[in-house]
Amino acid sequence: GQQLNQSPQSMFIQEGEDVSMNCTSSSIFNTWLWYKQDPGEGPVLLIALYKAGELTSNGRLTAQFGITRKDSFLNISASIPSDVGIYFCAGLLFGNEKLTFGTGTRLTIIP
Amino acid sequence: DTAVSQTPKYLVTQMGNDKSIKCEQNLGHDTMYWYKQDSKKFLKIMFSYNNKELIINETVPNRFSPKSPDKAHLNLHINSLELGDSAVYFCASTTDRGNTEAFFGQGTRLTVV
């Protein structure tokens, strides 16, 4: 089946640094989503992207829908301690009603 | 007010037992889901119901049986629990089957010993 690979698998950064992560697929998707999961909680939607090439921001977060429709990118600027967690991309193809989730990127902030 | 709530949050049980996890959403959504998150944090869909009708049934052992008494509730019953069933199970909902923005519950951590 479809698989979404996220890179990097984990990141260790200092507070204030910018973060970049990406998600790639072997298949095209019509919708890309980015979720964040805090420890002991369920994933929470951060950004939704609906069009190839689309660039969308949510505060310090910016995500892009890749032009090939096979990838997406998430950037976090000026990281803060509450950014710690696991970030998941997810893709949806029209006519297929289930989200496919990526493998996750774990973000840790070093004091 | 919790939008998607699951009970229990933690469940420890012995192999061979039968257990249920309950989920309720107060968002007025039509579609509900069960996901399984393994120890590597990989999230995989198990089932989806739209207005009490099963629409997605992934390759899941038939020991797992979802039940939706109404569109606000989706329960998961597991028979003859096995060690490999240990995972975190998440309930989620969307406004309808074509919508992508899923709201997740807090998860139920199931440990089979």
Side-chain angles (χ1 to χ4, degrees):
Chain A
Q2 295 166 339
Q3 195 163 3
L4 298 184
N5 294 309
Q6 286 186 241
S7 176
Q9 195 172 23
S10 57
M11 303 182 77
F12 296 84
I13 62 164
Q14 291 193 316
E15 185 177 347
E17 284 187 35
D18 296 342
V19 171
S20 289
M21 59 187 80
N22 67 63
C23 184
T24 57
S25 168
S26 55
S27 311
I28 62 170
F29 285 99
N30 298 113
T31 300
W32 283 94
L33 303 159
W34 285 93
Y35 283 84
K36 182 192 177 208
Q37 185 177 18
D38 289 329
E41 302 288 333
V44 173
L45 182 66
L46 299 173
I47 292 179
L49 302 157
Y50 299 104
K51 194 174 166 184
E54 179 182 349
L55 187 72
T56 297
S57 293
N58 178 5
R60 293 178 297 105
L61 276 60
T62 302
Q64 183 158 27
F65 191 141
I67 203 77
T68 65
R69 294 163 66 194
K70 290 186 178 182
D71 55 13
S72 180
F73 307 87
L74 177 70
N75 295 318
I76 306 172
S77 62
S79 58
I80 60 177
S82 61
D83 291 335
V84 164
I86 303 176
Y87 290 80
F88 290 99
C89 62
L92 184 75
L93 190 60
F94 288 158
N96 184 342
E97 293 168 340
K98 57 182 183 183
L99 282 178
T100 299
F101 277 85
T103 47
T105 293
R106 185 184 292 272
L107 179 63
T108 303
I109 294 186
I110 307 165
Chain B
D1 245 3
T2 307
V4 181
S5 58
Q6 298 177 225
T7 53
K9 190 167 169 64
Y10 300 96
L11 184 53
V12 181
T13 187
Q14 289 187 319
M15 279 175 58
N17 283 350
D18 303 338
K19 290 292 177 186
S20 291
I21 308 172
K22 296 188 175 185
C23 179
E24 175 182 5
Q25 54 93 4
N26 61 8
L27 298 166
H29 287 174
D30 284 349
T31 310
M32 295 184 72
Y33 309 80
W34 278 110
Y35 284 84
K36 179 180 180 181
Q37 187 172 46
D38 62 23
S39 57
K40 294 184 179 176
K41 304 298 183 185
F42 188 60
L43 265 167
K44 195 169 187 321
I45 192 167
M46 300 172 69
F47 301 103
S48 172
Y49 271 74
N50 186 67
N51 265 322
K52 303 192 296 176
E53 178 191 348
L54 180 67
I55 55 170
I56 294 174
N57 185 350
E58 288 295 281
T59 309
V60 176
N62 57 16
R63 298 182 295 103
F64 290 78
S65 51
K67 281 192 173 51
S68 182
D70 55 61
K71 73 173 194 178
H73 295 84
L74 180 61
N75 304 322
L76 184 65
H77 187 75
I78 315 169
N79 289 326
S80 304
L81 277 154
E82 300 177 358
L83 292 176
D85 297 332
S86 295
V88 182
Y89 292 84
F90 285 101
C91 177
S93 71
T94 56
T95 53
D96 56 49
R97 59 196 294 177
N99 191 284
T100 57
E101 298 179 27
F103 291 77
F104 283 81
Q106 285 192 305
T108 295
R109 181 176 291 277
L110 172 65
T111 305
V112 183
V113 298

